[in-house]
Amino acid sequence: MGKYIVKRLLLMIPILFGVSLLIFFILSFVPGNPGQIALGQDAPPEVIYEYNEKLGFYDPFPTKYVKYISGAVRGDLGNSWRTGRPVADEIAMKLPVTVKLSVLSVITAAALGISLGILSAIKQYSALDVICTSGAIAFASMPRFWLGMILVIIFSVNLKWLPSNGIGDWRFYVLPTLTLALPTAAQIMRLTRSTMLETIKQDYIRTAKAKGAPSSSVIWKHALKNALMPVVTVIGMDFGYLMGGTVLVETVFSMSGIGTLMITSIRNQDVPQIQGTILFLAVCICVTMLLVDIVYAFIDPRVRLRYSK
């Protein structure tokens, strides 16, 4: 298992290098320069040129990339053109909000989706199954920003139970978490239901029932582990997506996170901030996929045996 983790960590290196090179190449065509952004459009051209010269803006592409990646390896993602602050510090300021939203949303979505998916599979074609399946289709088809506004109208404007925007105690995270979690829970519920229905028809499940194993043991001990394999993949991918895809929800609820930072950087043509944020999100996704593979080993003994060999 340890050798496998080391191999995956080493595999992350060329992936991240490829992502950084691709983003660096694409953003090299972005118009504008740091001197104009930092000093303003009305600054004298010679002052702008001198400012850009200090930053190495006019260096050849290979030279600029080597400088950037050598700094990134040491944790230095450069300085923001807009604020002049280190890019890593800007990300660190916005990261807690996005991490809280992502973690709470994934936990909520997994709890709802897996439990309702199991119930729907056990009670196939029952009223509960029809309600859960119909609800899953409805929530999966809703745009998140629209769902967020509906929740604000119901729970903030009409009922006045929860705050509609801002950052504070746990009550401020309820509506954003539900906005992100419900569509994901719908996807997880449908996948769990389909995999559970396929799993409970297998021969080893019928054998366990024939031996007199309790129904709860058959479902939770034998069927669920095999049915969770594709579900774990979806949960991991959704967490990676949420780390950078919460911008619409952050906008609706006025919560400043990584997504808002990315949009602001794009609007201001802040190339170092865009590069650093994308590279950081790529690292998060790679680490998440590694954790998903490790969870596989705990769920399926066959995977653990393959890793041990």
Side-chain angles (χ1 to χ4, degrees):
M1 188 67 181
K3 292 182 179 179
Y4 172 78
I5 295 176
V6 172
K7 290 180 180 179
R8 285 298 306 271
L9 290 174
L10 293 176
L11 183 61
M12 288 170 55
I13 296 176
I15 293 175
L16 294 177
F17 270 109
V19 171
S20 64
L21 179 60
L22 180 61
I23 297 302
F24 202 90
F25 176 74
I26 293 174
L27 293 180
S28 64
F29 296 101
V30 173
N33 59 69
Q36 291 178 342
I37 295 174
L39 304 177
Q41 297 289 339
D42 298 330
E46 60 273 11
V47 177
I48 293 177
Y49 181 86
E50 183 179 357
Y51 185 89
N52 292 338
E53 187 70 26
K54 290 181 180 179
L55 294 179
F57 181 74
Y58 301 114
D59 292 343
F61 176 83
T63 303
K64 290 194 291 186
Y65 177 73
V66 170
K67 288 181 179 179
Y68 176 77
I69 203 65
S70 60
V73 171
R74 300 191 303 270
D76 181 11
L77 299 176
N79 294 330
S80 170
W81 289 356
R82 179 173 57 91
T83 63
R85 291 167 51 87
V87 170
D89 291 348
E90 296 281 351
I91 294 175
M93 289 176 58
K94 307 294 184 181
L95 185 60
V97 173
T98 301
V99 170
K100 286 181 182 178
L101 281 178
S102 300
V103 172
L104 291 173
S105 301
V106 167
I107 292 175
T108 304
L112 288 174
I114 293 174
S115 58
L116 293 178
I118 293 172
L119 290 175
S120 295
I122 296 174
K123 305 292 184 180
Q124 187 180 15
Y125 302 132
S126 65
L128 176 63
D129 182 26
V130 173
I131 294 173
C132 291
T133 304
S134 302
I137 295 174
F139 281 111
S141 60
M142 289 183 185
R144 280 189 166 94
F145 73 91
W146 185 84
L147 176 61
M149 291 188 290
I150 294 298
L151 293 178
V152 167
I153 293 173
I154 295 175
F155 294 102
S156 296
V157 178
N158 294 333
L159 299 178
K160 301 184 185 303
W161 288 354
L162 296 168
S164 61
N165 58 70
I167 301 174
D169 58 18
W170 62 270
R171 296 181 302 117
F172 288 83
Y173 287 89
V174 174
L175 294 183
T177 298
L178 290 177
T179 302
L180 292 171
L182 290 178
T184 303
Q187 180 184 8
I188 294 174
M189 179 264 165
R190 296 173 64 189
L191 181 60
T192 303
R193 179 183 181 274
S194 61
T195 54
M196 280 293 294
L197 288 175
E198 183 179 352
T199 302
I200 59 180
K201 296 177 182 179
Q202 300 296 319
D203 292 338
Y204 71 93
I205 297 295
R206 287 195 290 266
T207 302
K209 290 180 179 179
K211 289 183 177 180
S215 299
S216 59
S217 176
V218 172
I219 295 298
W220 295 101
K221 185 177 180 181
H222 299 285
L224 182 59
K225 284 187 176 182
N226 289 320
L228 280 182
M229 295 291 284
V231 177
V232 170
T233 303
V234 170
I235 293 174
M237 293 178 64
D238 283 335
F239 179 77
Y241 162 75
L242 290 175
M243 284 295 294
T246 60
V247 58
L248 292 177
V249 174
E250 291 174 5
T251 302
V252 171
F253 294 98
S254 300
M255 305 179 77
S256 182
I258 296 293
T260 305
L261 176 64
M262 177 70 76
I263 294 300
T264 303
S265 302
I266 293 173
R267 288 174 178 172
N268 292 292
Q269 299 178 345
D270 193 348
V271 173
Q273 189 67 66
I274 299 172
Q275 291 171 346
T277 305
I278 293 177
L279 188 59
F280 172 77
L281 293 176
V283 172
C284 291
I285 293 174
C286 289
V287 173
T288 301
M289 291 297 100
L290 174 62
L291 294 177
V292 167
D293 287 343
I294 295 175
V295 172
Y296 280 169
F298 288 97
I299 294 177
D300 193 339
R302 296 170 297 181
V303 177
R304 187 164 59 249
L305 180 61
R306 186 171 72 246
Y307 288 166
S308 64
K309 290 183 178 180

